[in-house]
Amino acid sequence: MIPGALLYISRQASRPGRYVAEQILYFLVGWIPTLLGIGIRGIVYRVLMDMDGWVAIEKNVRLRFADHIRLGHGSYLDENVYLHACPYGIETGPNTFIMHGSVLHVYNFRGLPNAFIKIGEDCLIGEYNVIRGQGGVTIGDRVYTSPFSQIIAVNHVFDDPQKSFVDQGITAEGIVIEDDVWIGAGAIVTDGVRIGMGAVVAAGAVVTKDVQPYTVVAGVPASEISKIDGKKTSLAGKVVYHKH
């Protein structure tokens, strides 16, 4: 086998035999629509990954390093979801939904020690989300993300003007999102951030520092605009852009 093909396979599956077996199963049953396909995949895909109880997987879901994926009972993967779990895995808790077009991407080939994505129970990952787990992403229970959100636990170093950023390496500190957090549409959470329990991130916000529990943040970069204290809160007209 040519070296380029071996490199490709090494970044798609744990070993060549696994790659062949996974691709055959995807070809045979990955495209089948409706409840029939969901039912077949709920049985057949158990030979590929760890499925705790009943799991619903729609058609055209792409799985890479499937033996590093664990899905809790009642989990749901919508159409065109892409999970790339190399090397330390992707895990979802019970009753967690990952919606259409979302990408969960560990994809660690730099030997980073904490590359994973772990999502708790009763979560909703909205349409077309991107979660990059090179530094480790831990998401608690009952966390909802809205469409087009991004949670990116990796960052390029670009300090030296004499070198391309490509040659300066990366940082991967990790992201933690605690229980009961709501992240608005198009928001971005950057590496090294912790979002506290019960917090709300407004649509379009860029979170570059920790968010305290039960606070609402908005803007670029995001800053606190209100506390969640039992009084009625509205985000209408609250998104503010801050000068650096």
Side-chain angles (χ1 to χ4, degrees):
M1 188 176 291
I2 62 175
L6 287 173
L7 177 62
Y8 174 81
I9 290 172
S10 73
R11 297 192 172 188
Q12 303 296 314
S14 298
R15 54 189 183 276
R18 284 279 315 186
Y19 174 78
V20 172
E22 290 173 6
Q23 295 303 311
I24 288 172
L25 287 181
Y26 301 151
F27 175 77
L28 292 175
V29 305
W31 59 273
I32 302 173
T34 70
L35 282 173
L36 175 63
I38 290 173
I40 291 172
R41 285 183 289 275
I43 297 170
V44 172
Y45 280 12
R46 292 179 185 277
V47 305
L48 300 178
M49 58 183 167
D50 188 352
M51 297 165 62
D52 182 13
W54 174 248
V55 173
I57 301 176
E58 295 279 7
K59 65 183 177 70
N60 298 328
V61 169
R62 295 176 62 197
L63 305 173
R64 299 294 183 266
F65 287 85
D67 49 333
H68 295 279
I69 298 173
R70 180 176 183 179
L71 303 178
H73 176 69
S75 293
Y76 173 78
L77 304 182
D78 201 356
E79 290 186 24
N80 299 312
V81 163
Y82 177 33
L83 305 185
H84 193 299
C86 170
Y88 300 125
I90 294 172
E91 179 179 344
T92 71
N95 303 312
T96 284
F97 285 25
I98 302 175
M99 302 307 296
H100 183 93
S102 286
V103 176
L104 278 63
H105 208 245
V106 178
Y107 201 78
N108 174 25
F109 298 103
R110 297 174 181 259
L112 299 171
N114 298 309
F116 65 87
I117 297 171
K118 183 176 181 180
I119 304 174
E121 61 183 69
D122 299 315
C123 293
L124 175 68
I125 304 301
E127 294 85 349
Y128 299 103
N129 277 210
V130 175
I131 303 178
R132 296 287 298 272
Q134 281 93 329
V137 173
T138 302
I139 297 175
D141 300 334
R142 299 172 302 278
V143 172
Y144 279 35
T145 69
S146 302
F148 298 100
S149 298
Q150 299 184 53
I151 299 168
I152 311 294
V154 63
N155 195 15
H156 283 279
V157 177
F158 50 89
D159 295 332
D160 188 345
Q162 304 303 316
K163 295 181 180 179
S164 168
F165 75 92
V166 175
D167 299 322
Q168 297 186 56
I170 63 172
T171 60
E173 300 176 33
I175 292 171
V176 176
I177 301 175
E178 297 181 3
D179 298 345
D180 301 305
V181 169
W182 173 28
I183 297 177
I188 299 173
V189 181
T190 62
D191 190 31
V193 163
R194 186 181 194 97
I195 300 180
M197 177 181 292
V200 174
V201 177
V206 178
V207 182
T208 60
K209 60 184 180 180
D210 290 354
V211 177
Q212 295 303 307
Y214 299 104
T215 61
V216 180
V217 298
V220 182
S223 61
E224 181 180 321
I225 61 171
S226 65
K227 294 284 190 183
I228 299 173
D229 55 7
K231 299 177 182 179
K232 186 175 181 180
T233 302
S234 173
L235 293 181
K238 293 288 188 179
V239 178
V240 179
Y241 290 85
H242 302 277
K243 295 182 180 180
H244 293 280

